[in-house]
Amino acid sequence: MEEQERKPRKATALNIVLAMLMAVIIIGLAKYAMAPVNMLEKWKQSQVMLSNDEVMAEVYDEPRLDSLQRLIAYRNALLSLSKKDSIHLIINVPDSTLGLFMNGVVIYSLKFTKIKMDPMLRKLPQGMYMHTFSKALAITSSEASIVKEPIIEKIAPKNPEELMASVTTPDTLVHQPVFIKLIADNGIHFLITQDQDLTSVDKKANRSFWSARRMERAKTFLQAMVKFEPFEYQPSIILEANDKALTAIYRALPEQAKVVVYYE
């Protein structure tokens, strides 16, 4: 009799555990699905509403003017930086270029080989796009696999021949894998990486970079679950380009850089 009573109790306990687990999974999926919506709502609340917003909304909803309006937003963002002495970053998706901008002039640019836009950004309503990208985005945090100011060590020449060689030979830095993460003040993550993994060190740095991102997202998700808070969505723009050119761009950017983004 006792054994027969224990079996129903074990089955009931197991069902309760499974039901709780299923509830957690459903809540987690709901949080994940609602994350982009919550991010858009957050952007809406942070926008500076214009006095003629209703008139502008009618223009934004005109599909035939979308490309023109986005180009105007791009020009406005550049104009906001034209009088700045600092160097800033430009991401021009239609031209496939990544460039440095200073005093109204593009001082350096390169062609990126691959780009991946976040689905939320791709589907951004036209009015939201104009509000978001008609100004430069401020970078609040940055990380990279390369240092900003590399330390170059030189060995004193032992003879006149080595002295002449050190004078006439240009300095070259040891190759380092290039993986860069820039986070804008509105939460957009710019993930900029080299387009080729030539060595085992490159491949290891690649795995480490993306593993760290997955761990970060998993940690954020678990914290949201534990604290019963909305999951913080991280819209991203992923770029790949030549490693040497990316190194030059990253080291040229100031700590408080700004980014202008333009896509159609």
Side-chain angles (χ1 to χ4, degrees):
M1 292 292 295
E2 291 182 0
E3 292 182 358
Q4 292 178 352
E5 289 179 358
R6 288 176 185 174
K7 289 182 180 179
R9 289 177 183 175
K10 289 182 179 179
T12 302
L14 181 60
N15 290 335
I16 293 174
V17 171
L18 290 175
M20 292 178 63
L21 182 60
M22 184 62 67
V24 170
I25 292 174
I26 293 173
I27 293 173
L29 292 174
K31 284 179 177 289
Y32 191 83
M34 289 299 295
V37 178
N38 294 333
M39 175 62 77
L40 286 176
E41 187 61 31
K42 183 179 178 181
W43 282 7
K44 287 180 182 178
Q45 293 176 0
S46 64
Q47 287 174 357
V48 178
M49 303 306 295
L50 303 178
S51 58
N52 60 339
D53 187 67
E54 293 182 0
V55 176
M56 293 182 70
E58 295 179 359
V59 176
Y60 292 156
D61 291 335
E62 177 53 61
R64 292 175 297 179
L65 297 177
D66 284 357
S67 296
L68 179 60
Q69 289 180 125
R70 293 190 178 211
L71 182 59
I72 291 173
Y74 174 57
R75 299 298 183 188
N76 288 338
L78 293 180
L79 285 173
S80 69
L81 296 177
S82 62
K83 297 180 180 179
K84 304 288 185 179
D85 291 333
S86 295
I87 297 175
H88 303 290
L89 187 66
I90 297 175
I91 299 175
N92 187 325
V93 178
D95 287 347
S96 299
T97 58
L98 190 67
L100 296 175
F101 185 83
M102 180 178 181
N103 290 333
V105 179
V106 176
I107 59 175
Y108 181 79
S109 66
L110 66 102
K111 290 281 186 178
F112 54 78
T113 55
K114 185 178 179 180
I115 185 170
K116 183 178 180 182
M117 300 285 297
D118 191 277
M120 190 196 88
L121 298 178
R122 281 292 186 190
K123 298 177 182 179
L124 205 63
Q126 186 66 6
M128 183 72 70
Y129 178 97
M130 296 294 290
H131 278 294
T132 304
F133 297 113
S134 61
K135 59 183 181 300
L137 305 177
I139 297 300
T140 58
S141 175
S142 65
E143 297 177 14
S145 59
I146 54 176
V147 294
K148 270 286 188 182
E149 298 179 0
I151 299 174
I152 304 174
E153 296 183 356
K154 290 187 176 181
I155 300 175
K158 299 177 181 178
N159 51 54
E161 288 75 17
E162 288 188 3
L163 175 60
M164 289 301 298
S166 66
V167 173
T168 57
T169 304
D171 291 332
T172 57
L173 297 176
V174 176
H175 167 75
Q176 290 179 300
V178 185
F179 295 89
I180 304 166
K181 180 174 74 173
L182 307 174
I183 303 177
D185 55 356
N186 65 350
I188 295 179
H189 287 220
F190 298 94
L191 307 173
I192 306 173
T193 72
Q194 62 187 37
D195 55 4
Q196 289 183 315
D197 293 334
L198 301 177
T199 67
S200 59
V201 176
D202 290 339
K203 294 176 182 178
K204 182 178 179 180
N206 191 337
R207 290 193 298 268
S208 177
F209 180 79
W210 293 112
S211 295
R213 175 164 173 79
R214 287 192 291 269
M215 289 294 294
E216 179 186 9
R217 290 171 66 86
K219 181 180 178 181
T220 303
F221 181 75
L222 291 175
Q223 288 178 343
M225 292 290 293
V226 172
K227 297 180 180 179
F228 298 98
E229 297 176 348
F231 172 54
E232 185 179 354
Y233 191 70
Q234 298 174 352
S236 61
I237 298 177
I238 303 173
L239 292 169
E240 293 183 5
N242 176 266
D243 54 351
K244 293 181 180 179
L246 290 180
T247 299
I249 283 182
Y250 177 70
R251 287 177 175 161
L253 290 174
E255 291 295 337
Q256 303 298 324
K258 292 188 176 182
V259 180
V260 172
V261 180
Y262 169 48
Y263 64 93
E264 296 179 342

